[in-house]
Amino acid sequence: MVLLDNDGFLHALTKMFHNNRSSGSVNITLKKHDGRTTRQKPQQPIENLCLIRASDNRSKLSTVISSKEVTKFQMSYATLLRGNMDSLKKHDKSKERKERKRKDL
């Protein structure tokens, strides 16, 4: 897993979306992060951090966002998602209705 800075993560995520546009998927997870790499209790209070991970079948990316950078990152991330969600497939409900009717009979 590659830990990138925020701008590098957004750039690499854009490439990942374009590589998986015709087929494939991109999984994104968000998690509260305390900055520790071991399981020991922290000695001093730590600022709030957010760990964001993105993966497809071939590669994994991650970045850590501090509470000061959340607004800027969120605006860029939302723009990126809006621009790359145009190739989603529409869910076909007619097949589900036919299957329900078959089960009811």
Side-chain angles (χ1 to χ4, degrees):
M1 184 169 302
V2 180
L3 183 65
L4 301 170
D5 63 335
N6 297 342
D7 293 330
F9 176 80
L10 292 172
H11 183 68
L13 187 61
T14 303
K15 285 184 180 180
M16 191 180 287
F17 275 127
H18 287 292
N19 291 340
N20 292 303
R21 185 172 288 281
S22 61
S23 65
S25 62
V26 176
N27 297 319
I28 300 173
T29 59
L30 293 104
K31 177 181 175 183
K32 184 177 178 180
H33 183 61
D34 57 4
R36 294 183 293 155
T37 57
T38 61
R39 292 184 176 216
Q40 298 175 354
K41 291 185 178 180
Q43 301 297 329
Q44 57 194 3
I46 302 173
E47 72 172 310
N48 293 326
L49 299 173
C50 180
L51 175 66
I52 298 182
R53 295 178 181 147
S55 64
D56 61 358
N57 293 339
R58 295 168 291 245
S59 61
K60 296 179 181 179
L61 306 170
S62 63
T63 188
V64 176
I65 303 166
S66 68
S67 58
K68 298 172 187 174
E69 301 170 341
V70 168
T71 307
K72 178 185 170 192
F73 183 82
Q74 185 178 9
M75 297 297 286
S76 301
Y77 180 65
T79 305
L80 174 71
L81 287 180
R82 281 190 210 115
N84 289 298
M85 285 198 182
D86 58 354
S87 64
L88 293 175
K89 295 178 183 176
K90 189 173 181 180
H91 186 65
D92 188 17
K93 294 183 181 180
S94 62
K95 291 181 182 179
E96 291 179 6
R97 290 181 189 145
K98 289 179 184 178
E99 289 177 9
R100 285 186 200 155
K101 287 182 182 179
R102 288 182 192 168
K103 288 181 181 179
D104 290 339
L105 297 176

